[in-house]
Amino acid sequence: MMDVTGFFEKMLASSRIFKNKEVLRHSYTPENLPHRNEQIESLASILVSALKGETPSNVMIYGKTGTGKTATVRFVGRELEKTGERLNIPCYVCYINCEIIDTQYRVLATLARMFDRNIPMTGWPTDQVYSEFRMAIDSKDQTLIIVLDEIDKLVRKGDEILYNLSRINSELDRARVSLIGISNDVRFTEYLDPRVRSSLGEEELVFPPYDANQLRDILAQRAEIAFYDGVLDDNVIPLCSALAAQEHGDARKALDLLRVSGEIAEKENSEIVEARHVRMAIEKIENDHVVEVIRTLPTQSKLVLFGMVLLSRRGSREFTTGEVYDVYRQLCRRVGMDILTQRRISDLISELDLLGIVNTVIVSKGRYGRTREITLNVQRNVVASVVLEDFRLRSLSKVDLQYQAKLDSITSQV
DNA sequence: CCTCCACCGGAAAGCCGGGTCA
DNA sequence: TGACCCGGCTTTCCGGTGGAGG
């Protein structure tokens, strides 16, 4: 039997990089938020009504991912609750992520459960859940701030819930409710009932992306807690910030980059994190992303992609829609899948282009027609190994080489 | 200058699984 | 429960096209 305790201790002791890695995760809400004072103050000035026993206006918050929307709301919400407690004025902030809780029923059930009501996962009429929730909160004089993060995800399934929540105050005697909606899509309100839209958008806050300098401050602040002193090379944080700033000023990406850089350094038992680790991290993140994208592709698209891998192993790097379609058809027969039309495959290829997995250019070869010229944009072996994970395509791995020979003989004849 | 290749890409309709409503 | 609807995927049909070769 292995000495497990010693094993873990050894691993822990060998980590000379991270002091507290949790700080670099998205879920962490820091003690203060650099470069968000303006937004914090605006939000606080709206929510302060709650401490005066009034109903705060509803707020819509817009901003791209990684601009600190959620962190700011969490932060201000926490301060509000703390202050309320101190002054003995009950204020509660209910945070709901609509990407996970994405139906009217589940939102109401989750809210009601926060007030200790027992609601079954499913089965009750929605009205009943609603009134259960209403009674739960109306039991005493209090202010409730309901935060609906990623609210656009909820709206796709109908705005009834928003309508109900936005007019709930008229059915309450003692409690007060106000809503905060968070969205990264500015246009989502277009699909709303005008009444809901105006009620929800009483106040609006916009979170601009961070620039490189701001990101640097954010990273520096977190790095201090996350890393041991002196393990970060001086140019690591500027590099991470600059790279993330190029890419839409997303603080989440910057933090990921920093964390992965540290993980890589740790794995290779390096004493310090250097610029080269950051560059490796970019590659790893990029690669993981590509793998994930390919993995979640429909099987048909994977087959098309696999055909492209085979084609690209041949002499020339680029190939046409027609060539891809021919190979694709043969692969379909091999694995016993339905053959889609060329029109459809053409669309699948466009999607792959959009995803950045391939590059396509429409070229005219005069007499020999007009077609897309396609090049693979990712490593062949990565594509092949991920595609072959698909259980319907397993049989291809054996076929691969013989097939390659056959393909070569066909193309050499032409 | 015209032809004609090999495909592009829009429009519309069919199919299918899932959800809704009376 | 069955009628109905919806959205995603796919097929069918078809007009459109840049440029090598005649």
Side-chain angles (χ1 to χ4, degrees):
Chain A
M1 204 59 177
M2 194 171 162
D3 183 355
V4 175
T5 324
F7 175 73
F8 278 123
E9 270 170 4
K10 205 169 130 206
M11 282 191 99
L12 280 175
S14 71
S15 173
R16 310 253 25 104
I17 301 279
F18 289 112
K19 192 161 54 179
N20 177 5
K21 197 154 76 178
E22 285 312 299
V23 177
L24 298 179
R25 302 209 177 269
H26 321 309
S27 49
Y28 176 79
T29 309
E31 292 301 313
N32 62 353
L33 293 161
H35 304 291
R36 282 296 174 248
N37 288 336
E38 199 183 305
Q39 284 78 8
I40 290 172
E41 267 168 42
S42 312
L43 187 57
S45 74
I46 297 165
L47 297 187
V48 73
S49 317
L51 297 168
K52 299 180 196 153
E54 297 160 8
T55 315
S57 303
N58 295 333
V59 190
M60 264 312 303
I61 294 179
Y62 299 105
K64 300 258 171 63
T65 46
T67 50
K69 305 183 295 293
T70 307
T72 301
V73 172
R74 277 230 157 95
F75 176 78
V76 176
R78 211 158 59 188
E79 289 299 314
L80 179 73
E81 285 181 335
K82 269 194 254 172
T83 314
E85 206 169 313
R86 210 154 48 226
L87 304 178
N88 208 15
I89 303 169
C91 297
Y92 299 103
V93 179
C94 306
Y95 176 86
I96 291 187
N97 187 333
C98 304
E99 186 159 30
I100 301 159
I101 301 164
D102 61 353
T103 63
Q104 152 148 270
Y105 185 92
R106 281 192 226 150
V107 169
L108 289 171
T110 309
L111 286 169
R113 282 195 207 108
M114 286 179 190
F115 292 87
D116 301 322
R117 296 288 166 136
N118 262 325
I119 311 285
M121 292 298 284
T122 155
W124 283 15
T126 309
D127 303 359
Q128 193 181 342
V129 186
Y130 177 73
S131 53
E132 192 75 17
F133 167 64
R134 192 159 46 78
M135 287 180 329
I137 59 171
D138 210 18
S139 61
K140 64 176 184 174
D141 194 320
Q142 58 184 341
T143 308
L144 214 62
I145 316 279
I146 300 176
V147 181
L148 299 167
D149 204 347
E150 315 248 3
I151 192 170
D152 41 331
K153 302 277 167 27
L154 189 60
V155 171
R156 275 185 217 153
K157 311 208 173 170
D159 56 6
E160 209 184 329
I161 174 77
L162 297 182
Y163 182 70
N164 287 335
L165 286 178
S166 65
R167 35 159 296 159
I168 192 171
N169 281 316
S170 60
E171 297 178 30
L172 296 171
D173 296 322
R174 309 166 71 185
R176 292 165 298 277
V177 170
S178 77
L179 302 175
I180 297 181
I182 303 180
S183 163
N184 47 26
D185 181 5
V186 189
R187 293 168 299 115
F188 101 98
T189 50
E190 288 169 18
Y191 311 106
L192 290 178
D193 183 308
R195 284 170 297 180
V196 178
R197 192 192 310 170
S198 63
S199 149
L200 207 56
E202 283 171 337
E203 300 278 353
E204 293 193 352
L205 291 182
V206 176
F207 283 55
Y210 296 109
D211 66 29
N213 290 328
Q214 296 171 333
L215 287 174
R216 198 180 310 183
D217 292 339
I218 294 170
L219 291 187
Q221 176 212 30
R222 305 263 187 125
E224 196 155 318
I225 316 172
F227 293 95
Y228 287 109
D229 285 347
V231 300
L232 283 191
D233 193 286
D234 283 347
N235 50 25
V236 166
I237 287 182
L239 184 55
C240 289
S241 320
L243 288 165
Q246 276 171 25
E247 194 113 15
H248 317 120
D250 183 343
R252 229 178 263 193
K253 285 223 177 92
L255 287 165
D256 281 339
L257 199 52
L258 186 59
R259 177 174 49 83
V260 174
S261 304
E263 283 169 356
I264 290 174
E266 189 172 54
K267 207 171 284 176
E268 62 174 44
N269 283 320
S270 170
E271 298 283 306
I272 53 168
V273 187
E274 298 171 282
R276 68 187 176 89
H277 294 122
V278 178
R279 280 189 279 272
M280 286 163 78
I282 298 170
E283 209 161 295
K284 178 172 175 357
I285 290 171
E286 167 69 11
N287 191 58
D288 287 356
H289 178 241
V290 167
V291 166
E292 201 42 45
V293 168
I294 298 177
R295 205 196 303 277
T296 51
L297 241 31
T299 309
Q300 291 286 2
S301 297
K302 288 181 186 168
L303 213 47
V304 171
L305 202 52
F306 193 74
M308 292 179 181
V309 170
L310 296 181
L311 279 167
S312 74
R313 279 194 185 150
R314 212 188 43 181
S316 73
R317 310 220 81 263
E318 58 232 5
F319 30 87
T320 64
T321 304
E323 290 172 307
V324 171
Y325 189 61
D326 285 344
V327 177
Y328 158 81
R329 260 164 41 203
Q330 299 183 44
L331 289 172
C332 277
R333 289 194 201 98
R334 276 252 147 73
V335 296
M337 291 203 7
D338 296 346
I339 299 174
L340 302 184
T341 53
Q342 180 156 342
R343 177 71 187 84
R344 181 65 189 138
I345 296 307
S346 177
D347 276 349
L348 293 185
I349 294 172
S350 305
E351 279 170 29
L352 293 175
D353 187 11
L354 231 53
L355 290 169
I357 300 174
V358 299
N359 284 329
T360 72
V361 194
I362 297 167
V363 291
S364 175
K365 297 179 189 299
R367 169 110 296 201
Y368 306 104
R370 222 159 89 89
T371 181
R372 274 203 191 83
E373 210 156 66
I374 307 159
T375 9
L376 220 45
N377 210 12
V378 288
Q379 299 201 338
R380 285 185 297 226
N381 51 351
V382 174
V383 177
S385 63
V386 177
V387 167
L388 292 174
E389 282 173 19
D390 193 308
F391 71 97
R392 272 167 293 195
L393 306 181
R394 287 271 163 72
S395 57
L396 283 177
S397 53
K398 294 182 211 107
V399 164
D400 194 357
L401 286 178
Q402 356 167 337
Y403 183 73
Q404 184 72 49
K406 194 180 168 198
L407 182 73
D408 288 343
S409 71
I410 293 169
T411 46
S412 62
Q413 283 165 25
V414 181

